[in-house]
Amino acid sequence: MAALRFFFYLLMKPVALGMAFLGIAGINAPYISPVSWWVPAFAGLFMPLIILINIFLLLFWGFQKKWWVIFPLITILGNYNYFVSVSYTHLRAHET
């Protein structure tokens, strides 16, 4: 059981780096043409899933009390414009 826990712990490090990369690519999705680079376009499409995984990683690394918590935190805070664009209050402001 300890070996499986250690394997899961080691597996979460590249997952955290990959999700941080995809989250930052998703931040830049409106500014980069899919013709020049296709990764931000796909990251923009899957942004809700990327954010959910980053929230899970934030909780995981927060409970582990490791400095890896910085990567999902930066990614979530960097996607502030995404949260504003999909929030309900933002949609309600345009109705009046």
Side-chain angles (χ1 to χ4, degrees):
M1 187 67 179
L4 185 61
R5 185 176 301 144
F6 182 70
F7 175 73
F8 183 70
Y9 176 79
L10 287 179
L11 183 67
M12 296 308 280
K13 291 179 181 180
V15 169
L17 288 174
M19 286 295 117
F21 172 75
L22 288 175
I24 292 171
I27 293 169
N28 296 320
Y31 311 111
I32 298 175
S33 172
V35 175
S36 63
W37 196 36
W38 55 270
V39 173
F42 280 114
L45 287 173
F46 293 109
M47 189 53 65
L49 180 65
I50 292 169
I51 290 175
L52 283 175
I53 293 172
N54 274 310
I55 291 171
F56 168 74
L57 288 170
L58 182 74
L59 294 172
F60 176 78
W61 290 117
F63 286 129
Q64 294 289 327
K65 296 181 183 170
K66 300 291 182 182
W67 63 272
W68 285 88
V69 74
I70 294 170
F71 292 111
L73 183 65
I74 289 172
T75 305
I76 291 169
L77 293 176
N79 279 303
Y80 173 76
N81 289 333
Y82 175 77
F83 290 122
V84 169
S85 68
V86 297
S87 68
Y88 181 72
T89 56
H90 176 73
L91 296 174
R92 295 281 300 179
H94 292 290
E95 290 180 3
T96 57

